[in-house]
Each structure stands twice: as structure tokens, then as C-alpha cells.
């Protein structure tokens, strides 16, 4: 048996990356908002169906930009899933808003009932993560948001190209955010984007993103010089990042097909073993299209999860756990509060592991992972 290590994640190399980078370097223009930013934004609008897409330096910054845009600050409460990435919470806390942790459902997404129970007169927004690129229960979440006058921000770091009941992820709420960190399906090292449908919010977002100036108007020839208009920061990526991103987005179909090959192989091979061992496999309801961002298993106990991770590691396979609950983290305790216990978050966190999933995994490697998993008796 081959024993070369099978790592968990490996960034995709898109065919056009080097040519695009050379073009930027040769142009003497590598600061932001040049031709590759424009080209990549157009591809993002096409893939997501969003009316507006603004490239940012990260998903964390896109979330911060959304917080500035929606004027979230001290005294406001923002509901976030406890089972989530740090950025989802800290991007709100950095503006001085209080993060309120809610629990998740059986898909690992915000549980609408837990959200409804966390709403107070100070609640201003809900940040939804579509975990693993499987859409959250947006019907109920939109209903809660509407009846309480709340905004929904969709953290779509896992969800590029996914949909929920025909609506594309990241375009259902007021704002959607994407990540192009090199562990995500499409990457440029570090990067992100903010998706918006509202023209007025978009006009202000352009200014906040560009140090509070109307440089975007200047670039479009609408004013002959640009000036300080509003608060803002520097959230735009350089053309070097946009050049890599544009090449990756041009290969999006190829990336997704290669990732689905792996995901579908796991989903086809593991059910028998899972049923015999009381293991729950990642599940995608028929009314949503996922993104093959990750493939997870949930064991009956934390002990067996840790044993399975060890068993796989002994065979050279990396299969990490995922989020540590935010509500019990040191910053979560200091900067947030948790009106109701996040019990399913604790259970997901302690029993979940993810299998290697990246486009260039070979059939033999996929089979090795399947054989290693199914040789373990839970
Ligand atoms: C990766 C990730 C982020 C952060 O993305 P960056 O681009 O690294 O800032 C935020 N939320 C979720 C759910 C993520 O997976």
C-alpha cells in the first residue's frame, strides 16, 4: 500500500495565472481597481447572479465593510452562529456591536428557532453561514428578519456557486461575502468580495472600500478629481491578487467538476459503513445545490472522532475537525453573549471530521481515503 501523505487541502493552480501576473507586472499598474479587478468582478456577477460584486482583501474585510455599510455599532446586537469561523463574529465585534450566539440545525447552519429566541429590541442583523456550501433555511430566517426589521448578511465563504431553492447563495440577504483564501474553492492567496443588490448601498460601499473617497467615480470619468466623501478604509486588493483570481474564476467549471468528483465518490462509497457504525454523513437536501467545498462525517462520540482522526493519520491521511464553538471561546465570552445554550454546536464541534477534498486528488488517493475510513470500526 502506498503511504505518501494525503493532505487535507491543496490550492488549485489555474492555467492562466502566470500570464495574468506577467501582464500586471509589465503594465506598471498593480494597485487596485484595474482591468483584472474589473474582469474578475464581472465573472463573479455572472457566477453568483449578484447585481454588484466588489473585490476585497478578504472575506473578513467584506464582512467589516458590510458592518460599516449597515451602520452596525455599539449598542447593536448581531446574531451569529456559534458554530462558525472567527471572522464572522470578530468582524462585527470590531465595530463595537455585541455578538449574540445562536445554535445550528442538523446541516450545521443557523437554526431559525434559536435565532428567533435570541432577538431583542437591540438586534440589528443576522450573519448566516452556509456551512459547507449547503444553503441555510433562508425562508424562516428571512421571515424572522422581516418581522423584526433585521438585515441578513450571508457569509458565503463556502458557498460560491451554490443555491437554495433556485436562488444563488450570497444574493438572498442584504449583503453576501466571499472568501478567496487559498483553502477555499477559488482563491488568490488572500482575497474576498462583497455582493450587493441595492444600488444605494453599492454606491456607498464603493466609497468606504476606497478610503472614503469617490475614486470609483473618477475611474469611470464621472468626476475630474476624487476627494474624501465618507468614512472608509482600504479594502481593495491589488491587481496582482485580482489577476490570479480572474484566472481561477475562468476555470471555475473545471474546479467544481474536479471537486464534485471527490465529493460524489465519498457520498457513494460511505453510506453502508456509516449506517453500520452509527456515523452521520454530510447531507444535502434536494432543494439546494451545494458547492463541494467540504465533506464531513459525524461520529457518535468525541472519543471515536479523535480515534478516527488518529486512525487516518496513521495511514498518512489528514482529516481535521472543524470549528471550536465561538460562544465558549475567550473572546466570545468577553464580547458576546449566549441567551440559549448552543448544544448542537458543541455536538458538531466534538464529533465532526472532514475528509481530504481538492481538485487534483487522484482516483487512487480517493480510494485510499475510502478504504482507510471503512476499515475503522466505530
Ligand atoms: C474562510 C472563512 C472566512 C474568512 O475568510 P478570509 O478571506 O480568510 O477572511 C469567513 N467565514 C467563513 C465561514 C470562512 O470559512
Amino acid at each position: 500500500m502506498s503511504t505518501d501523505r494525503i493532505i487535507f487541502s491543496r490550492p488549485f493552480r489555474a492555467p492562466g495565472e502566470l500570464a495574468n501576473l506577467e501582464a500586471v507586472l509589465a503594465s506598471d499598474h498593480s494597485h487596485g481597481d484595474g482591468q483584472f479587478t474589473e474582469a474578475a468582478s464581472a465573472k463573479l456577477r455572472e457566477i453568483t447572479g449578484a447585481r454588484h460584486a466588489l473585490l476585497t482583501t478578504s472575506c473578513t474585510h467584506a464582512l467589516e465593510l458590510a458592518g460599516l455599510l449597515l451602520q452596525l455599532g455599539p449598542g447593536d446586537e448581531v446574531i451569529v452562529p456559534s458554530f462558525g469561523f472567527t471572522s464572522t463574529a470578530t468582524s462585527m465585534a470590531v465595530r463595537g456591536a455585541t455578538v449574540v450566539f445562536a445554535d445550528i440545525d442538523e446541516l450545521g447552519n443557523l437554526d431559525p428557532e434559536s435565532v428567533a429566541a435570541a432577538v431583542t429590541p437591540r438586534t440589528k442583523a443576522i450573519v448566516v453561514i452556509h456551512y459547507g456550501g449547503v444553503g441555510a433555511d433562508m425562508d424562516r430566517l428571512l421571515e424572522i428578519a422581516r418581522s423584526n426589521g433585521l438585515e441578513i448578511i450571508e457569509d458565503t465563504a463556502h458557498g460560491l456557486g451554490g443555491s437554495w431553492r433556485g436562488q444563488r447563495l450570497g444574493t438572498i440577504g442584504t449583503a453576501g461575502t466571499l472568501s478567496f483564501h487559498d483553502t477555499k474553492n477559488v482563491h488568490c492567496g488572500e482575497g474576498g468580495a462583497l455582493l450587493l443588490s441595492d444600488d444605494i448601498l453599492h454606491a456607498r460601499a464603493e466609497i468606504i472600500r476606497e478610503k472614503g473617497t469617490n475614486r470609483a467615480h473618477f475611474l469611470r470619468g464621472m468626476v475630474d478629481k476624487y476627494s474624501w466623501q465618507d468614512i472608509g478604509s482600504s479594502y481593495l486588493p491589488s491587481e496582482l491578487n485580482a489577476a490570479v483570481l480572474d484566472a481561477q474564476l475562468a476555470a471555475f467549471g473545471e474546479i467544481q467538476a474536479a471537486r464534485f468528483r471527490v465529493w460524489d465518490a465519498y457520498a457513494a462509497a460511505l453510506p453502508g459503513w456509516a449506517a453500520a457504525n452509527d456515523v452521520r454523513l454530510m447531507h444535502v437536501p434536494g432543494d439546494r445545490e451545494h458547492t463541494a467545498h467540504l465533506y464531513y462525517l459525524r461520529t457518535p462520540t468525541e472519543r471515536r472522532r479523535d480515534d478516527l482522526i488518529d486512525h487516518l493519520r496513521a495511514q498518512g491521511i489528514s482529516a481535521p475537525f472543524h470549528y471550536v464553538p465561538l460562544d465558549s471561546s475567550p473572546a466570545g465570552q468577553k464580547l458576546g453573549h449566549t441567551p440559549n445554550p448552543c448544544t448542537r454546536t458543541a455536538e458538531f464541534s466534538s464529533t465532526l471530521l472532514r475528509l481530504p477534498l481538492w481538485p487534483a486528488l487522484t482516483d487512487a488517493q480517493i480510494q485510499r481515503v475510502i478504504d482507510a475510513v471503512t476499515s475503522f470500526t466505530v
Side-chain angles (χ1 to χ4, degrees), residues 193-272:
L194 179 68
L195 306 178
L196 294 166
S197 51
D198 184 87
D199 292 344
I200 294 169
L201 285 180
H202 171 250
R204 183 154 188 253
E206 277 192 328
I207 290 170
I208 295 174
R209 173 176 170 272
E210 248 294 9
K211 301 129 185 126
T213 74
N214 57 344
R215 180 168 176 262
H217 288 177
F218 171 73
L219 291 175
R220 291 200 289 270
M222 294 159 69
V223 291
D224 59 11
K225 58 182 183 305
Y226 61 90
S227 58
W228 189 24
Q229 303 286 326
D230 198 345
I231 56 163
S233 190
S234 189
Y235 291 128
L236 75 167
S238 91
E239 276 286 285
L240 293 166
N241 290 69
V244 174
L245 182 63
D246 188 54
Q248 294 256 329
L249 290 168
F252 185 60
E254 185 190 327
I255 294 172
Q256 291 303 93
R259 298 187 75 98
F260 271 98
R261 188 181 110 268
V262 183
W263 199 99
D264 291 342
Y266 292 152
L270 298 177

Side-chain angles (χ1 to χ4, degrees), residues 24-25 63-64 67 79 92 132-133 140 149-150 181 196 203 206 208 210 227 233 258 303 316 336 344 362 376:
V24 175
L25 293 169
L63 288 162
E64 275 185 42
I79 298 173
M92 301 296 128
R140 273 292 288 140
L150 313 178
H181 185 273
L196 294 166
E206 277 192 328
I208 295 174
E210 248 294 9
S227 58
S233 190
R303 173 79 192 277
R344 200 177 266 125
T362 64
F376 182 79

Side-chain angles (χ1 to χ4, degrees), residues 58-60 85 87-88 129 155 157-158 179 181 184 190-191 323:
S58 65
C59 182
T60 309
F85 191 62
S87 300
T88 319
I129 298 175
D155 178 340
H158 303 178
S179 173
H181 185 273
K184 303 294 161 41
E190 301 268 3
Y323 303 130

Side-chain angles (χ1 to χ4, degrees), residues 9 52 103 112 127 167 194-195 228 288 353:
S9 169
H52 303 289
D103 206 3
V127 188
Q167 284 181 269
L194 179 68
L195 306 178
W228 189 24
R288 44 210 103 177
L353 73 156

Side-chain angles (χ1 to χ4, degrees), residues 282-303:
M282 180 172 177
H283 165 66
V284 183
D287 62 353
R288 44 210 103 177
E289 287 175 82
H290 73 105
T291 57
H293 175 60
L294 51 81
Y295 189 89
Y296 66 81
L297 318 172
R298 286 163 58 212
T299 57
T301 65
E302 178 168 16
R303 173 79 192 277

Side-chain angles (χ1 to χ4, degrees), residues 51 65 115 170 205 224 260 281 286-287 308 363 365:
R51 183 164 161 81
L65 178 48
V115 171
D224 59 11
F260 271 98
L281 301 177
D287 62 353
L308 179 50
D363 289 344
Q365 287 173 313

